[in-house]
Amino acid sequence: MDKRSNASRQKRSAKSGGAVKRVILGLGLVILVMVTGIGCGFLTASMNTKPDLANDILPPASSQIYDINGNEIANVHAAENRRPVKIAQVPQQLQDAFVAVEDNRFYEHSGVDPRGIMRALYTNIRGHGVAEGGSTITQQLAKNAYLTQERTLTRKIQEVFLALQLERQYTKKEILEMYLNQIYFGQGAYGVQAAAQTYFGKDVEDLNLNECAMLAGIPKSPNYYSPANNLQAAQERKSVVLNQMEKYGYINHSTAEKTKKEELRLVKPAKKSDTNVASYFIDYVTQKLIDKYGADAVYKEGLKIYTTLDMDMQKAAEETVSKLPTYKTDGNGLAQPQMALVAIDPHNGYVKAMVGGRGNDQFNRATMAVRQPGSAFKPFVFIAALENKFTPNTVINDSPIDINGWRPQNDSGHFNGKVTMREVATHSINVPTVKIAQKLGIDKPIYYAQEMGISTFVLEGPHNDRQLATALGGMTKGVTPLEITSAYGTFANKGVHVDPVVIVKVLDRNGKVLEQNEPKQRSVVSENSAAELTDMLENVIKKGTGRRANIGRPAAGKTGTTSNYNDAWFVGYTPDLVAGVWVGNDDNTPTRGIMGGLLPAEIWQSFMKKATAQTPAKNFDGSRSSHYDGVGELEDDKKQEVKKTSDKKKDDKKKDDKKSADGKNIKSAGAVPGADDDDGRQDSNPAVPPVAAPEPGGVGKGRN
């Protein structure tokens, strides 16, 4: 009996401790690799000891960027802005900020921190990804100053050895000084002195805590966290740095909270002197590589970077910028409104063309501008419906509705009675779209949009996207042109989403392949649903709100215009190319009545005609099957239907409904006097309160 009891306890113990054993095994393997690597490093050291590592740097070589046809489009080299300073000139708060956020045990370890590596490994195992790194400041210095960015065990061993050698030859303050003068801060600035001048117009010794925390946050991703490129992201990263400083006792809580709220006085970034073709795309590629391999790898190690860009399409895209009017010039000297255009091959995700603005700044609106999509979001509601037994011919009653005090309206101010979902898409009618989302639960459209690559949803907190206003594009943050264009590519690719790709492969100076990208794809919706949605969106161009986008060949798309005309969109596709166009003011103020069915549709048409000129026209070939058990008509929720007070009005409404059902009285929800191409703008009523909705098997809280 005792034996059986002991065996049972041992079995339960083994089961509960399985996860712990796996973590311990992983940590043991890492330690074994470290010990082996360090041993090899010391063996190498005995044969190749260098007396002065501070002067031992690889000779620089320019990197080349090529288009999809192998033609060189850019030569990237180090036009360095570096001004070395002594550690005594660096404010203690800036030193503390870097130690807190990059290597909190810097003053305790000997160049390599086993405890930090174990902590990072444990965090990454729990998170099923690389969420935290274990490299010390000394290792980062060794890697950036003396080694290539090749991600191999050999290079990691060399990094460990060099870090240990640096610690033997130099003091902690000397290592920190070399590190602070070495790292890249974006905008061509190397080292803390150049960064202080670039962003704040002052010497590093004059920086305050607010500015120190901002600078310490930039090197993690110099493009994304540069306040000149993305001030909001830079502010969020500054808060992370201040939290770390508080955590490790460098500042107290009240100081951290006070500094988080302080504004930054940034100097205006220097205007780009060269206006080469594809400048936004080249910057985007360059910064992605800097984020992955470091600035020195890109500017000094002679990489050969093969991209997806099609120069003929790129030139066609850049020519469309001339169609923009100039209504004003902002405080930075930039003409407004601005625009973005992205074109992608939906079958492999290759970005064929990218315009991030009017070519005179470094803010790439195609990848960084997060803007409200308006009615351009509606296809995600429609595809969710098609995946849940709706058909293009499902009938919805376009009639008044009251949802907890929110009464969405059509842009025309009219209701159309019973309309099909195809007509709702064609004329971008708001109220039936809300009713569809209400029936499905808003989580379902969000789920499909996430699966198609949109990563900007806010799903928690008092202000989030799990509300019915999202069905009309009223999101908490919005979307980027790159992500929504890529998402529409799913419809063109028969329900299979392919992540966007800009870099095909990267070679080092010796011709060794550092990376070679393969398309990452996943099936999101059925081929049948994708084909039915495409058929609906073809009508948008043929006879709906997107008529000005007609290119004389099979194409599908959707307009989008937000309330007050802050954002205007047209996103559309042919069987082999998807493109998205956004127009708006950088400061999110209203444009002068620019609507998605007007200027963006015209820009899209102009680009697509040139981009597809050399390819034969063809029809969409997705298969469609009949829904014998599909939803024939969506029944109204009587509790939320707005009641009429007059019997006469009820009778009139019934007559109107009958006319609408007969197809004789369908009104475009976007039609306004003198503007037939309006597109059912997102209404300007207050956002609907959060509505409980069933989760469709996994809205990802932290997806992408």
Side-chain angles (χ1 to χ4, degrees), residues 50 65 277 325 521 681:
K50 299 183 182 297
I65 299 178
V277 175
Q521 62 182 38
R681 290 176 288 118

Side-chain angles (χ1 to χ4, degrees), residues 382-500:
F382 302 146
I383 197 68
L386 293 170
E387 284 285 282
N388 287 271
K389 295 190 176 182
F390 281 63
T391 77
N393 296 320
T394 296
V395 174
I396 305 100
N397 189 13
D398 180 18
S399 61
I401 186 173
D402 187 315
I403 305 171
N404 298 332
W406 181 56
R407 297 186 177 188
Q409 303 294 317
N410 296 323
D411 187 63
S412 64
H414 303 295
F415 295 94
N416 301 288
K418 292 188 176 181
V419 293
T420 65
M421 191 162 71
R422 184 188 306 279
E423 291 163 338
V424 174
T426 301
H427 303 294
S428 197
I429 313 176
N430 287 340
V431 175
T433 305
V434 173
K435 288 185 176 183
I436 294 169
Q438 182 186 37
K439 180 67 175 179
L440 297 170
I442 193 60
D443 277 7
K444 288 186 178 178
I446 290 175
Y447 167 77
Y448 288 112
Q450 282 186 310
E451 288 296 297
M452 296 177 197
I454 294 181
S455 63
T456 46
F457 289 105
V458 177
L459 300 176
E460 296 179 330
H463 302 289
N464 63 67
D465 291 320
R466 301 174 84 166
Q467 54 178 320
L468 290 175
T470 299
L472 304 181
M475 296 173 64
T476 305
K477 290 184 176 179
V479 297
T480 66
L482 176 63
E483 287 193 349
I484 196 170
T485 302
S486 175
Y488 271 55
T490 311
F491 311 140
N493 197 34
K494 302 179 183 180
V496 177
H497 177 71
V498 186
D499 291 345

Side-chain angles (χ1 to χ4, degrees), residues 477-702:
K477 290 184 176 179
V479 297
T480 66
L482 176 63
E483 287 193 349
I484 196 170
T485 302
S486 175
Y488 271 55
T490 311
F491 311 140
N493 197 34
K494 302 179 183 180
V496 177
H497 177 71
V498 186
D499 291 345
V501 177
V502 293
I503 298 170
V504 178
K505 66 179 177 180
V506 179
L507 308 180
D508 68 11
R509 65 170 74 195
N510 299 316
K512 183 176 181 179
V513 177
L514 296 181
E515 66 174 82
Q516 184 145 7
N517 290 320
E518 297 294 334
K520 297 177 182 177
Q521 62 182 38
R522 57 183 173 273
S523 180
V524 179
V525 297
S526 69
E527 181 179 333
N528 179 69
S529 295
E532 289 184 326
L533 180 67
T534 294
D535 190 53
M536 291 165 57
L537 298 186
E538 281 188 275
N539 266 8
V540 173
I541 292 177
K542 290 177 181 176
K543 54 186 178 182
T545 59
R547 293 190 297 276
R548 297 195 184 203
N550 197 318
I551 57 174
R553 64 166 67 200
K558 185 70 188 75
T559 53
T561 311
T562 59
S563 46
N564 299 324
Y565 306 101
N566 288 1
D567 299 278
W569 298 80
F570 190 86
V571 189
Y573 52 94
T574 64
D576 298 312
L577 188 66
V578 56
V581 175
W582 165 84
V583 176
N585 291 328
D586 282 338
D587 60 2
N588 213 25
T589 55
T591 61
R592 297 184 183 180
I594 294 177
M595 296 178 287
L598 300 176
L599 183 58
E602 292 167 359
I603 291 174
W604 188 90
Q605 181 203 50
S606 175
F607 166 73
M608 290 294 285
K609 277 188 172 181
K610 295 173 183 175
T612 60
Q614 301 304 315
T615 58
K618 66 177 183 179
N619 292 313
F620 293 98
D621 59 359
S623 64
R624 288 186 287 275
S625 60
S626 299
H627 290 256
Y628 295 108
D629 60 344
V631 177
E633 182 171 348
L634 178 63
E635 297 293 333
D636 277 348
D637 185 341
K638 298 300 181 183
K639 294 179 181 178
Q640 294 174 339
E641 189 176 354
V642 176
K643 303 298 182 183
K644 300 292 185 180
T645 57
S646 165
D647 290 337
K648 182 179 184 303
K649 288 182 180 179
K650 288 181 180 179
D651 292 338
D652 291 342
K653 186 72 175 65
K654 289 179 181 178
K655 292 177 182 178
D656 288 342
D657 286 350
K658 184 177 185 305
K659 288 181 181 179
S660 298
D662 293 338
K664 297 177 181 178
N665 195 35
I666 298 297
K667 300 176 183 177
S668 167
V672 294
D676 293 336
D677 289 288
D678 190 16
D679 64 323
R681 290 176 288 118
Q682 165 196 335
D683 76 275
S684 56
N685 288 295
V688 62
V691 177
E695 295 195 17
V699 170
K701 295 182 179 179

Side-chain angles (χ1 to χ4, degrees), residues 218-447:
I218 294 174
K220 179 179 175 65
S221 178
N223 177 50
Y224 188 73
Y225 293 119
S226 165
N229 289 347
N230 196 337
L231 183 57
Q232 180 179 350
Q235 293 278 21
E236 292 171 356
R237 177 67 177 160
K238 181 189 79 173
S239 296
V240 171
V241 174
L242 290 167
N243 288 339
Q244 289 294 101
M245 294 183 74
E246 178 190 348
K247 178 179 178 180
Y248 295 111
Y250 293 111
I251 56 176
N252 58 37
H253 179 71
S254 61
T255 300
E257 293 304 308
K258 175 177 173 291
T259 308
K260 287 178 187 178
K261 298 174 184 177
E262 291 179 3
E263 293 186 4
L264 288 164
R265 295 184 178 180
L266 300 169
V267 296
K268 291 182 180 179
K271 288 186 179 180
K272 295 174 68 175
S273 57
D274 84 39
T275 55
N276 292 334
V277 175
S279 60
Y280 288 103
F281 180 84
I282 291 167
D283 283 350
Y284 181 59
V285 168
T286 301
Q287 294 300 337
K288 283 182 75 71
L289 291 168
I290 288 172
D291 290 347
K292 187 170 185 178
Y293 298 112
D296 284 350
V298 177
Y299 292 129
K300 297 179 181 180
E301 292 186 8
L303 303 181
K304 294 190 182 299
I305 304 137
Y306 294 87
T307 73
T308 61
L309 193 74
D310 182 306
M311 284 304 295
D312 291 334
M313 289 191 190
Q314 180 64 29
K315 290 174 182 176
E318 295 191 0
E319 288 171 5
T320 65
V321 174
S322 63
K323 293 183 175 293
L324 284 177
T326 299
Y327 293 147
K328 64 179 181 179
T329 301
D330 67 15
N332 295 317
L334 299 175
Q336 301 293 339
Q338 285 282 347
M339 69 161 286
L341 185 153
V342 181
I344 302 173
D345 183 331
H347 307 305
N348 57 20
Y350 283 12
V351 176
K352 312 294 283 187
M354 177 184 290
V355 174
R358 302 180 82 159
N360 53 1
D361 70 330
Q362 292 180 309
F363 181 65
N364 188 342
R365 294 156 190 82
T367 61
M368 295 179 175
V370 182
R371 305 292 296 230
Q372 296 294 318
S375 294
F377 186 84
K378 289 177 182 176
F380 302 112
V381 177
F382 302 146
I383 197 68
L386 293 170
E387 284 285 282
N388 287 271
K389 295 190 176 182
F390 281 63
T391 77
N393 296 320
T394 296
V395 174
I396 305 100
N397 189 13
D398 180 18
S399 61
I401 186 173
D402 187 315
I403 305 171
N404 298 332
W406 181 56
R407 297 186 177 188
Q409 303 294 317
N410 296 323
D411 187 63
S412 64
H414 303 295
F415 295 94
N416 301 288
K418 292 188 176 181
V419 293
T420 65
M421 191 162 71
R422 184 188 306 279
E423 291 163 338
V424 174
T426 301
H427 303 294
S428 197
I429 313 176
N430 287 340
V431 175
T433 305
V434 173
K435 288 185 176 183
I436 294 169
Q438 182 186 37
K439 180 67 175 179
L440 297 170
I442 193 60
D443 277 7
K444 288 186 178 178
I446 290 175
Y447 167 77

